[in-house]
Amino acid sequence: MSNPPIRFSPLTTTVPGYPRVATSRVYKSLLERFWSQKTSLEAFEEGVRELRTERLRVQREHGLEWIPSGDFSLYDHVLDTALMLGCVPERFGWSGDAIGPELTFALARGKDGVPPLEMTKWFDTNYHYLVPELPDRFRLTANRPLEDARFAREIVGVEHVKPVLLGPFTFLKLARLEGSELATRLDALVPIYEEVLRELAAEGFGLIQMDEPSLVTDLGEGELEAFRRAYERLAPAASLIVQTYYGDVAPSYDTLCALPVAGLGLDFVRGRDRNLACLQGGFPADKLLVAGVVDGRNVWRTDLEAAKALVQEIASFVPPERLAIGSSCSLLHLPETVASEQALPSALRGALAFAQERLEELRLLAGALRGERPEGWDIAQAALAAWREEASRFDERVQARVAAIREEDTRRMAYAQRRPLQDARLKLPMLPTTTIGSFPQTPELRKARRLREADPAAYEAAIREEIERVIRLQEEIGLDVLVHGEPERNDMVQFFGDQMKGFATTEEGWVQSYGSRCVRPPIIFGDVDRLGPMTVKELRYAQSLTERPVKGMLTGPITILQWSFVREDIPRREVAAQIALAIRDEVRDLEEAGLSMVQIDEAAFREGLPLRREDWPEYAAWAVRSFRIATGGARPETQIHTHMCYSEFGDMIESIAAMDADVISIEDARSEGALFETLREFRYPQQIGPGVYDIHSPNVPSVEFVEERLRGALACLPLDQVWVNPDCGLKTRRYEEVVPALRNMVEGARNLRR
Ligand code: GLN
Ligand code: ZN
């Protein structure tokens, strides 16, 4: 069968995907109203149709020529793909008939005690996907990409539709298959994909985007070969663009070029240098190239002149009639539009581009490349030039401080020497008990926080009352090391961002994290410094209430960096160093206020790891250094804690040890002790609190369960190295669960001490 003719006009503009939630988080409200049964299924589905229509129209109105279909999702596109392929675990009691929203949400969120699919990070982004659980046999449940493409055709016309599918290779990688198992399963998936693609082609959808971002990661033995075989077979079914993003494809470039597919999509933002080097080696004359030249991951306005030069360079290897330009990846990771940000300083606003502005940039670029001088070009470039001159970005004092950091500033007294000083000061029992920082965030607390501006006195009183309540509760439960409970924070990054210069907060800068959950990352636009002490008032008060040690609670530089949009005019490592100095100052102030221990959360330390292993050592070096800048000024008798939200340490244990924290608490409650082995083999020297129960579940652990977990830890680690704590903060739980769980935890620890 021959494929429909390829419609491809020179320098067509496109994006791999577009945001789903829309301004004011329309989709979030739709979903949550449906979940709480405030709307019927019919009304929900009607709302979704309207939203999808609007999403398509926005792209068309901004002049986008080649518009993705199938990128919208009720919850997550990996889940959609799993459902299309019949991957519904038995526990959901699926009868095999058509899959609607109810079953989709059951897999995503669990239902009536049936646990949902596991959720995890999508590549190195803050988007989360649901990990598919594969059945023995795949089967096509519905040709969803075709339905989506038909829907889009009605709105924007067939010539503008680009069906988008998550490719079978990446799908299986995301289901955590490897090596020969991956190859076998891929063979089984190919016929199903073939059918989907044939039907699309038969309806005249000329070019189809197959997302294969796994090609920018390290591939195992035989995996690239399995990929090649699959696409050899798929290529005749339709005209395919193999789309990659988040990095370069250097190791697989030759394989890609030799495939009989219609074209390739490459990322020239993140993967710029290596992908350009690939092109220099030649690009096949029979293929189209979709070049990602404006950034889909960060919010800074594109320098159009520079982007134009980049496209011209690319065009010296690929003639314009075979070249399309687009964003480096789906715009899913950007907020909708800068137009909603009227409260930002105008110079900063002028320097930003969210999803809609990216579409404008593509329109301008395409115009300029076709030889026009499009209206808007000069204004865009002027805004950028003005920002480069903007004085509020710079603080010479901060820059000088960073430049002056010496090696010894990042070094504390040796652990073996400071440990006895801390023990003598703290006088803790063996197996000391503590928590990770936050206590439940009740509706009353959220209400009190909203008073902050309107009625500062009432706000302060409410926060103090809450701190006192939480301290008394912990004393009563019998915890050894107390926390203040973080009642004044709604977000562990935003809270610090709001109190530092160089940070801006948006009003509507929401980005989907998963399902209905959106985050609003702060924007780091300039040199960072504290505006004043950030946590001292609350922590001093907390410590004044009790004889037991209270642990100060800060967020670390890497986590702040990872969960923000970061400036690009200086290296990330330098921004990290600036934040680290601010945290260092805060540690000193907390010591002055009488605190004997401070926890610096690095929840996102591992997330920052580059996608390719060869790039890890460089990251690890500056990430560890930033933690050591933050902590290096602490007195030896001050105990420094850190917390990380994962437990796969095997591959980075050296970095964790190099951070030189006195105590690290980790999220280990769901892993099966593999961690302890790693720690034993490595002879991890410092203290460690393996999470003894899982706070992500409402279940209350029994005393025996806690004892069992601790015995597991003690089989591998010396007694004087082990702490007892839950595996993460308690803020999403309710007191009904938290109080009995902590009581059992404390009792379990006491039993073992005997
Ligand atoms: N201290 C924070 C809390 O307890 C840590 C949160 C996290 O690890 N994500 O909420
Ligand atoms: Zn955590």
Side-chain angles (χ1 to χ4, degrees):
M1 184 188 133
S2 71
N3 293 326
I6 295 176
R7 282 177 290 262
F8 196 83
S9 47
L11 297 165
T12 298
T13 57
T14 191
V15 295
Y18 198 70
R20 303 161 184 160
V21 284
T23 311
S24 309
R25 288 178 289 167
V26 171
Y27 188 54
K28 180 187 175 69
S29 337
L30 265 177
L31 260 182
E32 290 181 351
R33 289 177 59 80
F34 176 61
W35 287 342
S36 61
Q37 295 174 345
K38 290 199 185 99
T39 36
S40 64
L41 178 61
E42 293 68 42
F44 170 68
E45 291 188 316
E46 181 50 33
V48 169
R49 265 193 300 277
E50 277 171 26
L51 176 62
R52 288 173 61 195
T53 304
E54 183 265 351
R55 300 285 73 198
L56 291 160
R57 289 217 169 107
V58 164
Q59 295 173 74
R60 191 66 199 112
E61 278 157 17
H62 282 82
L64 197 70
E65 287 157 332
W66 200 22
I67 296 170
S69 75
D71 56 332
F72 187 85
S73 173
L74 291 185
Y75 201 96
D76 162 43
H77 59 284
V78 183
L79 174 61
D80 294 340
T81 310
L83 291 172
M84 173 178 94
L85 301 170
C87 308
V88 181
E90 271 183 33
R91 63 180 182 278
F92 293 95
W94 177 49
S95 57
D97 43 334
I99 295 171
E102 305 272 2
L103 184 63
T104 306
F105 296 139
L107 267 77
R109 311 171 71 217
K111 196 179 180 189
D112 305 331
V114 177
L117 300 187
E118 185 192 333
M119 194 164 60
T120 193
K121 296 239 164 204
W122 165 255
F123 296 87
D124 61 350
T125 75
N126 271 327
Y127 177 79
H128 295 68
Y129 75 94
L130 290 154
V131 182
E133 293 177 29
L134 305 183
D136 294 336
R137 273 182 57 114
F138 297 112
R139 53 168 271 220
L140 182 60
T141 60
N143 191 338
R144 219 199 95 145
L146 179 61
E147 290 161 22
D148 288 342
R150 285 174 177 160
F151 182 87
R153 179 174 64 192
E154 293 305 307
I155 315 293
V156 297
V158 67
E159 69 278 20
H160 293 297
V161 177
K162 174 178 63 171
V164 173
L165 281 80
L166 178 59
F169 179 77
T170 296
F171 174 76
L172 293 175
K173 289 287 280 183
L174 294 172
R176 305 208 173 112
L177 293 197
E178 286 176 8
S180 63
E181 202 191 349
L182 173 93
T184 314
R185 296 292 249 167
L186 192 51
D187 284 340
L189 267 189
V190 165
I192 300 185
Y193 267 86
E194 272 183 301
E195 190 178 337
V196 170
L197 294 172
R198 272 212 197 91
E199 288 177 11
L200 276 163
E203 280 204 27
F205 294 103
L207 264 177
I208 295 162
Q209 174 183 317
M210 296 288 272
D211 282 356
E212 292 288 8
S214 284
L215 288 174
V216 313
T217 66
D218 293 325
L219 298 181
E221 264 302 288
E223 292 181 353
L224 187 58
E225 173 54 19
F227 170 88
R228 192 194 61 76
R229 263 206 328 271
Y231 276 85
E232 291 269 349
R233 285 170 63 194
L234 286 176
S239 299
L240 305 180
I241 303 278
V242 177
Q243 178 72 47
T244 63
Y245 36 81
Y246 307 141
D248 69 90
V249 297
S252 42
Y253 182 72
D254 292 340
T255 307
L256 284 169
C257 287
L259 285 179
V261 296
L264 305 180
L266 304 181
D267 175 345
F268 288 94
V269 177
R270 287 250 169 146
R272 179 190 168 117
D273 294 348
R274 291 176 191 164
N275 275 343
L276 272 178
C278 288
L279 283 191
Q280 274 150 15
F283 188 78
D286 64 337
K287 283 194 182 30
L288 310 170
L289 176 66
V290 182
V293 294
V294 301
D295 195 348
R297 291 287 293 272
N298 210 345
V299 293
W300 304 102
R301 187 190 274 285
T302 303
D303 179 340
L304 293 172
E305 288 294 348
K308 184 176 156 198
L310 172 63
V311 178
Q312 281 164 340
E313 186 177 352
I314 294 169
S316 63
F317 308 104
V318 188
E321 62 276 14
R322 285 192 280 119
L323 186 59
I325 56 170
S327 54
S328 61
C329 60
S330 168
L331 299 181
L332 183 70
H333 310 297
L334 298 182
E336 182 70 21
T337 174
V338 181
S340 309
E341 305 303 332
Q342 296 308 318
L344 288 180
S346 65
L348 174 58
R349 200 169 66 233
L352 299 175
F354 297 169
Q356 290 185 15
E357 290 76 24
R358 286 285 178 251
L359 302 181
E360 281 301 321
E361 290 179 348
L362 287 171
R363 196 178 59 81
L364 292 175
L365 258 180
L369 287 158
R370 287 170 190 144
E372 303 152 19
R373 180 118 197 127
E375 201 183 322
W377 182 279
D378 293 335
I379 299 169
Q381 289 301 97
L384 198 64
W387 179 245
R388 290 193 172 136
E389 299 301 316
E390 172 63 30
S392 69
R393 290 162 56 205
F394 306 111
D395 184 331
E396 278 171 22
R397 208 190 64 93
V398 172
Q399 291 168 7
R401 268 189 91 188
V402 169
I405 300 171
R406 295 156 307 168
E407 211 273 324
E408 57 261 42
D409 298 327
T410 68
R411 222 182 314 127
R412 302 180 71 198
M413 177 190 281
Y415 175 71
Q417 284 158 25
R418 61 184 201 257
R419 167 100 204 234
L421 303 180
Q422 292 168 15
D423 287 350
R425 179 181 187 194
L426 296 167
K427 301 194 183 57
L428 294 170
M430 61 178 135
L431 299 173
T433 53
T434 190
T435 62
I436 305 302
S438 58
F439 266 70
Q441 296 253 340
T442 57
E444 302 85 71
L445 194 52
R446 290 210 184 85
K447 222 166 91 198
R449 256 203 319 265
R450 268 179 253 130
L451 290 176
R452 192 177 184 144
E453 246 104 81
D455 190 346
Y459 164 78
E460 298 257 326
I463 295 295
R464 283 167 81 97
E465 203 175 296
E466 177 71 8
I467 292 175
E468 170 147 28
R469 213 179 51 68
V470 168
I471 293 281
R472 296 294 168 242
L473 175 67
Q474 294 171 88
E475 285 182 332
E476 194 256 311
I477 290 173
L479 288 151
D480 301 308
V481 168
L482 312 190
V483 296
H484 79 298
E486 305 180 23
E488 76 285 21
R489 310 178 188 178
N490 60 354
D491 181 284
M492 64 190 281
V493 168
Q494 174 116 38
F495 174 77
F496 290 93
D498 285 346
Q499 302 189 74
M500 292 196 269
K501 64 184 289 190
F503 279 77
T505 304
T506 62
E507 285 173 85
E508 283 286 341
W510 297 101
V511 176
Q512 186 182 29
S513 174
Y514 54 86
S516 68
R517 180 153 162 83
C518 301
V519 295
R520 202 163 38 126
I523 298 173
I524 305 180
F525 65 85
D527 293 332
V528 173
D529 199 3
R530 294 190 309 170
L531 296 168
M534 303 184 282
T535 63
V536 174
K537 193 167 42 169
E538 289 84 5
L539 281 154
R540 185 202 306 271
Y541 178 64
Q543 184 64 83
S544 77
L545 296 169
T546 180
E547 293 296 309
R548 301 186 194 186
V550 171
K551 193 161 58 158
M553 201 52 64
L554 306 174
T555 303
I558 297 298
T559 302
I560 292 179
L561 206 63
Q562 267 318 105
W563 294 348
S564 302
F565 288 119
V566 184
R567 63 193 289 197
E568 291 179 340
D569 55 337
I570 62 174
R572 277 173 90 80
R573 66 163 68 83
E574 216 163 302
V575 184
Q578 293 184 357
I579 301 170
L581 285 174
I583 301 293
R584 183 183 175 106
D585 294 345
E586 190 72 11
V587 171
R588 189 201 50 226
D589 284 351
L590 288 172
E591 286 179 325
E592 297 284 316
L595 274 87
S596 53
M597 44 176 91
V598 180
Q599 175 172 310
I600 302 178
D601 288 322
E602 279 294 21
F605 196 83
R606 186 173 220 289
E607 268 169 54
L609 280 178
L611 290 171
R612 285 248 168 74
R613 229 167 227 272
E614 59 175 305
D615 302 325
W616 282 18
E618 190 199 335
Y619 164 77
W622 64 259
V624 168
R625 180 170 181 267
S626 74
F627 188 83
R628 295 179 60 130
I629 294 170
T631 54
R635 300 172 191 155
E637 66 273 21
T638 301
Q639 191 172 63
I640 297 289
H641 290 231
T642 187
H643 166 71
M644 297 187 177
C645 291
Y646 51 85
S647 61
E648 310 116 68
F649 281 173
D651 45 19
M652 52 179 316
I653 183 81
E654 282 171 42
S655 301
I656 308 263
M659 290 166 76
D660 196 28
D662 296 295
V663 184
I664 176 171
S665 60
I666 50 175
E667 186 168 296
D668 177 53
R670 283 170 297 180
S671 83
E672 309 280 303
L675 166 74
F676 300 136
E677 272 306 317
T678 310
L679 293 169
R680 172 159 71 181
E681 273 167 35
F682 184 78
R683 294 169 181 244
Y684 184 78
Q686 292 102 347
Q687 300 160 71
I688 183 152
V692 294
Y693 77 89
D694 177 10
I695 66 94
H696 305 89
S697 130
N699 299 340
V700 173
S702 66
V703 177
E704 296 70 38
F705 179 85
V706 171
E707 287 178 28
E708 191 56 34
R709 295 271 320 155
L710 284 173
R711 280 205 193 88
L714 290 171
C716 290
L717 294 165
L719 182 62
D720 69 351
Q721 267 178 263
V722 179
W723 281 62
V724 183
N725 47 256
D727 75 346
C728 197
L730 303 170
K731 78 174 180 197
T732 56
R733 295 262 69 90
R734 297 174 314 149
Y735 274 103
E736 292 92 291
E737 299 139 14
V738 162
V739 173
L742 292 179
R743 281 195 207 287
N744 290 352
M745 185 184 89
V746 167
E747 194 178 329
R750 285 189 180 147
N751 290 345
L752 276 198
R753 281 176 203 160
R754 290 193 216 107

